[in-house]
Amino acid sequence: MSKKTVSVKVAFLGDPKIGKSEFIKNYAGEKSVTKEKKEKGPHFVFLNRLENFEFKINIYEFSDTEKRSNIVKDCQCVFILFDMTKREAFERLLDTWIIFLRDTSGYKGKIIILGNYMNENDFLTTDEEEVKELIQVCEINGEFHKIGTKSNEEKKELIKEFINNACSQYVQGKKQDDCLIF
């Protein structure tokens, strides 16, 4: 009995040079296949096995919102990375990324907001409570994680948990007669 591969789309959004590519590469490790940054193609592709299913994880990475609505709308999971040491990055979190996801793209799934910074001693211009309040006020299905002091292994596990959760939700959303395995 062979398994049908199910495609899952994941998007990483955020300002340029915030660490999206490194974050993804850390998660994907040696399994990733890097593609050129084409408008419609995924930038990283790898396989993930969960339960009795094989998932093709397509990861898209964007630093702008132009012409991205159709891709993001169909994603099972979206991450937004922002720099907690720059106040303007927090303002773009709402003005650019959340408004794009909520109002422009039509994305209805979970939004994982990741606050990044380099050192434990960095001066943070945004705190956890402020981001959680933003999520509540904007009425999005979101959650926040501060990742600046996490090890690479902790970051990898965090992403793995969310992507596996997105895959599990895909399986749970299927009816038994939808036959993903033949």
Side-chain angles (χ1 to χ4, degrees), residues 116-134:
N116 202 11
Y117 53 98
M118 298 304 290
N119 301 305
E120 194 168 323
N121 296 332
D122 283 349
F123 177 74
L124 304 182
T125 61
T126 305
D127 65 23
E128 190 170 341
E129 293 306 313
E130 192 172 26
V131 179
K132 288 181 177 181
E133 184 178 327
L134 177 68

Side-chain angles (χ1 to χ4, degrees), residues 40-106:
K40 296 198 178 204
H43 305 144
F44 300 88
V45 180
F46 59 97
L47 292 178
N48 187 16
R49 287 171 183 77
L50 184 67
E51 298 176 14
N52 295 321
F53 300 91
E54 185 170 78
F55 292 91
K56 178 181 176 186
I57 309 295
N58 301 284
I59 298 182
Y60 298 81
E61 175 190 357
F62 303 129
S63 293
D64 62 57
T65 59
E66 191 176 324
K67 301 178 185 177
R68 310 296 190 208
S69 294
N70 289 336
I71 294 171
V72 173
K73 179 182 179 183
D74 297 331
C75 285
Q76 281 74 33
C77 188
V78 172
F79 294 88
I80 305 173
L81 272 73
F82 83 102
D83 186 343
M84 293 184 74
T85 65
K86 297 179 181 171
R87 189 63 190 174
E88 59 273 10
F90 174 74
E91 292 165 3
R92 279 192 303 278
L93 180 61
L94 171 63
D95 297 341
T96 301
W97 302 111
I98 291 176
I99 288 176
F100 165 70
L101 287 171
R102 187 190 65 192
D103 302 339
T104 306
S105 75

Side-chain angles (χ1 to χ4, degrees), residues 30 39 94-95 138:
E30 296 298 318
E39 186 175 311
L94 171 63
D95 297 341
C138 292

